[in-house]
Amino acid sequence: MKFSYKILLCTIMTMALAFGVSGYLFINYVFQNSMEREVGQAMNESSILQFAFETAALNIPSKYEVLQNGTIEQIGVKLESSGGEGRRLLRLSDENRVPLYASDGFVEATDFLEQIDAKTRIYRVIQRENRYYVQTGAVITSLDRAIYLETMKDVTEVFAERTGGFSVYRRMMIVVLLVSSLIMLLLAHLLTRPIRLLTRATRKMARGDYSYRAKQVSNDEMGQLTKDFNRMANVLEDTIRKLEEEVQAREEFIAAFSHELKTPLTAIIGYADLLRSRKLDEEKGFLSANYIYTEGKRLESMAFRLLDMTVTRHGEVDLQTIDVENLFCYLKELHEADHENDMCFRFDYQSGKVLGEADLLKTVLNNLVDNACKASEAGSEIEILGEKVEGGYRFVVRDHGVGIAPEERKKITQAFYMVDKSRSRSRNGAGLGLALCTEILKLHGSELEIESTVGEGSCIGFRLAEAIDE
Ligand code: ADP
């Protein structure tokens, strides 16, 4: 069953119950009041009749100074017809509760008569053949006699009014309920609109449309729910987009990795096959073995770099205070003794202390210097610089080599990406150096800053937080 119908049904049931109970109580209250009035009148009439009887008894001449049964009967007839509107219903009985006179229609049994005593006037409400009466009873003491007086007052009208009231109220209630049901149906439809809009949004999202948002149509709790739902949908969409990007990056990584494996392996297998299948002269044999060695070395360095990257990605660093002097000294010793590259290194740095992990930072700086060497002609100048900047320290490696095109700058930090593949491979590169640097710097809360002009050279650096002396 629809939620709006449930609201409607509950409201109708509550209203019907409320109207029913309050109507019943109200009509009964009016009835009780009318009945009390009728009973009061019946009791008054009984008093008046008692008084009238006593007066009449005193006025009727009697031989024996006692009230004869015949006299009582006469008084009864008189009292019966003395009522203003029509005849009264009354019964007079003697001391032994034997009826002496009864009006026509007063056919009540004498059980009520038994309950009358001399001190109190009593009454009861009775129903006889679809008519209702208030029956009263009292004792009249006159001329040494105790006469029982009973009266009956017709109150059918009051009961008929109550029945009529119920029937009018019932009809009125049905009309009111019908009209209010229509209004409630409209209101329930309006109130449940945010739910319908949310359901539509949920279904759309379940079908894969993550950009769909529910329309907010109110500022109440339902509006808040819609707002929260949309907020959740934003987070979900972001997460899904990130996951998709990650999956794509992983696929690209695997494709690039397989490709990078294939090239050295094809060379290794080809030269090994040549060596085992025929006898080569000494020079060719040496060349083949050399190819196998250099390609094997390339595979080895690739494997190490990949391992470093994986470890870095899943690790955490214990950041310590490092004197930059130590890092620059290390680089000086390493590269000034490196005659293989035949480069002209220039070191220029300010003293300072940074927060980091020394070995990882050496790896980053080594990679940047290696790349600068690879990109430059022999004898070219490589500058390794360090300067204090606001809140930290900046390391920069500047070369005057081939430079990097603007569209390549973002890609070179991806694993296996090489701008000039043959140049990189010839220098033992596999496109993993900057990817590893990026991962290490991420652990330090930093990133690579690349500036470059094609044909003029590059300037690649990064910032670290300054260590504060205690
Ligand atoms: P590789 O192992 O090939 O050096 P990197 O990830 O270190 O891999 O670098 C990726 C690519 O970025 C290199 O192949 C190179 O083409 C380019 N590159 C990196 N540093 C420089 C630089 N200083 N000057 C020019 N190109 C550079």
Side-chain angles (χ1 to χ4, degrees):
M1 191 195 253
K2 275 188 171 180
F3 186 59
S4 54
Y5 293 159
K6 280 186 189 168
I7 294 180
L8 179 68
L9 205 70
C10 290
T11 319
I12 292 175
M13 273 161 55
T14 315
M15 270 166 50
L17 195 73
F19 277 137
V21 171
S22 57
Y24 174 80
L25 291 176
F26 179 72
I27 292 172
N28 251 358
Y29 171 75
V30 173
F31 169 76
Q32 289 299 337
N33 275 351
S34 303
M35 274 308 288
E36 272 170 28
R37 203 173 49 243
E38 291 294 332
V39 168
Q41 279 176 10
M43 296 295 256
N44 283 345
E45 209 169 273
S46 169
S47 308
I48 292 165
L49 285 177
Q50 185 182 0
F51 181 69
F53 184 95
E54 284 164 1
T55 317
L58 287 176
N59 289 340
I60 286 175
S62 170
K63 279 190 225 169
Y64 310 103
E65 287 292 315
V66 279
L67 208 50
Q68 300 296 315
N69 285 353
T71 316
I72 294 170
E73 219 171 297
Q74 282 170 21
I75 298 172
V77 175
K78 255 190 177 173
L79 292 180
E80 184 190 81
S81 52
S82 65
E85 340 79 41
R87 285 173 62 244
R88 283 195 177 105
L89 282 176
L90 57 89
R91 179 163 67 186
L92 295 166
S93 310
D94 66 9
E95 294 80 355
N96 300 321
R97 304 176 201 253
V98 177
L100 297 173
Y101 173 76
S103 310
D104 277 352
F106 200 119
V107 287
E108 265 310 297
T110 52
D111 56 328
F112 183 65
L113 192 57
E114 308 294 331
Q115 297 168 22
I116 304 171
D117 64 38
K119 291 184 194 99
T120 48
R121 195 181 304 277
I122 59 169
Y123 79 91
R124 69 173 180 178
V125 179
I126 50 168
Q127 182 191 5
R128 297 293 173 261
E129 292 164 1
N130 294 333
R131 296 203 74 80
Y132 293 88
Y133 300 93
V134 175
Q135 186 178 3
T136 66
V139 179
I140 308 169
T141 322
S142 179
L143 299 177
D144 293 337
R145 288 206 64 176
I147 308 298
Y148 291 91
L149 167 69
E150 289 169 88
T151 63
M152 273 172 75
K153 182 170 170 47
D154 194 340
V155 290
T156 312
E157 205 51 26
V158 179
F159 279 84
E161 265 171 29
R162 183 174 70 160
T163 316
F166 277 138
S167 125
V168 169
Y169 190 80
R170 217 175 4 250
R171 267 176 280 157
M172 214 172 70
M173 201 173 90
I174 289 170
V175 174
V176 168
L177 279 181
L178 278 177
V179 174
S180 51
S181 300
L182 281 176
I183 296 170
M184 264 318 292
L185 189 65
L186 199 77
L187 287 177
H189 187 76
L190 281 176
L191 286 174
T192 52
R193 189 164 171 239
I195 299 179
R196 282 196 302 282
L197 291 173
L198 265 179
T199 312
R200 191 186 304 163
T202 320
R203 284 194 188 142
K204 286 237 179 200
M205 285 188 75
R207 273 189 235 118
D209 184 357
Y210 299 113
S211 59
Y212 191 85
R213 296 288 175 272
K215 193 174 161 198
Q216 192 185 338
V217 287
S218 62
N219 281 323
D220 53 9
E221 288 90 334
M222 291 310 294
Q224 189 56 45
L225 181 64
T226 311
K227 224 186 242 175
D228 290 345
F229 176 85
N230 286 343
R231 215 171 287 155
M232 184 195 75
N234 286 342
V235 175
L236 200 67
E237 195 186 6
D238 259 18
T239 313
I240 288 171
R241 190 176 38 75
K242 270 186 205 147
L243 280 176
E244 279 171 356
E245 278 171 10
E246 219 165 89
V247 168
Q248 202 190 339
R250 212 163 277 182
E251 275 172 10
E252 280 169 9
F253 179 88
I254 290 169
F257 179 57
S258 324
H259 186 260
E260 283 311 307
L261 267 185
K262 227 178 98 196
T263 322
L265 278 177
T266 313
I268 290 170
I269 291 165
Y271 283 110
D273 193 36
L274 197 69
L275 279 174
R276 69 169 189 167
S277 56
R278 70 182 85 133
K279 198 157 176 48
L280 299 174
D281 59 50
E282 202 176 321
E283 195 191 338
K284 277 192 180 158
F286 173 75
L287 276 175
S288 302
N290 192 44
Y291 266 121
I292 294 173
Y293 176 77
T294 48
E295 289 305 292
K297 272 301 225 189
R298 223 160 70 70
L299 273 181
E300 186 194 38
S301 92
M302 194 165 86
F304 281 141
R305 283 260 167 93
L306 273 176
L307 195 66
D308 283 350
M309 250 171 75
T310 321
V311 172
T312 313
R313 199 170 279 174
H314 295 108
E316 268 185 25
V317 280
D318 179 19
L319 299 183
Q320 283 169 353
T321 303
I322 306 167
D323 192 337
V324 294
E325 180 79 30
N326 295 340
L327 294 174
F328 281 102
C329 283
Y330 161 80
L331 288 172
K332 256 187 197 170
E333 275 171 27
L334 192 74
H335 291 290
E336 276 176 350
D338 178 12
H339 299 296
E340 191 189 316
N341 274 319
D342 196 21
M343 291 294 175
C344 175
F345 291 102
R346 188 173 78 83
F347 289 86
D348 185 5
Y349 58 91
Q350 293 176 339
S351 56
K353 288 190 173 145
V354 292
L355 270 182
E357 212 283 322
D359 286 338
L360 291 177
L361 291 178
K362 282 176 189 168
T363 308
V364 174
L365 287 164
N366 266 338
N367 266 299
L368 297 185
V369 175
D370 271 353
N371 281 348
C373 294
K374 282 186 217 166
S376 311
E377 294 297 325
S380 172
E381 187 185 51
I382 308 283
E383 292 168 87
I384 303 164
L385 315 168
E387 57 172 348
K388 276 188 173 176
V389 287
E390 207 188 315
Y393 197 91
R394 185 167 184 252
F395 294 86
V396 174
V397 177
R398 179 180 292 144
D399 65 63
H400 304 280
V402 289
I404 309 157
E407 67 274 12
E408 306 281 2
R409 264 172 231 164
K410 278 213 164 150
K411 297 183 198 161
I412 58 172
T413 52
Q414 291 169 12
F416 298 113
Y417 190 83
M418 292 167 265
V419 178
D420 184 345
K421 288 191 174 29
S422 54
R423 190 186 168 100
S424 282
R425 281 195 195 119
S426 70
R427 296 184 178 210
N428 253 351
L432 289 172
L434 291 184
L436 175 62
C437 291
T438 308
E439 293 298 333
I440 292 175
L441 289 177
K442 228 186 249 175
L443 290 178
H444 287 77
S446 178
E447 58 183 1
L448 283 175
E449 295 165 3
I450 304 170
E451 293 163 33
S452 184
T453 312
V454 177
E456 286 185 21
S458 313
C459 183
I460 305 185
F462 60 92
R463 285 160 202 261
L464 286 181
E466 195 176 17
I468 295 149
D469 286 329
E470 280 153 24

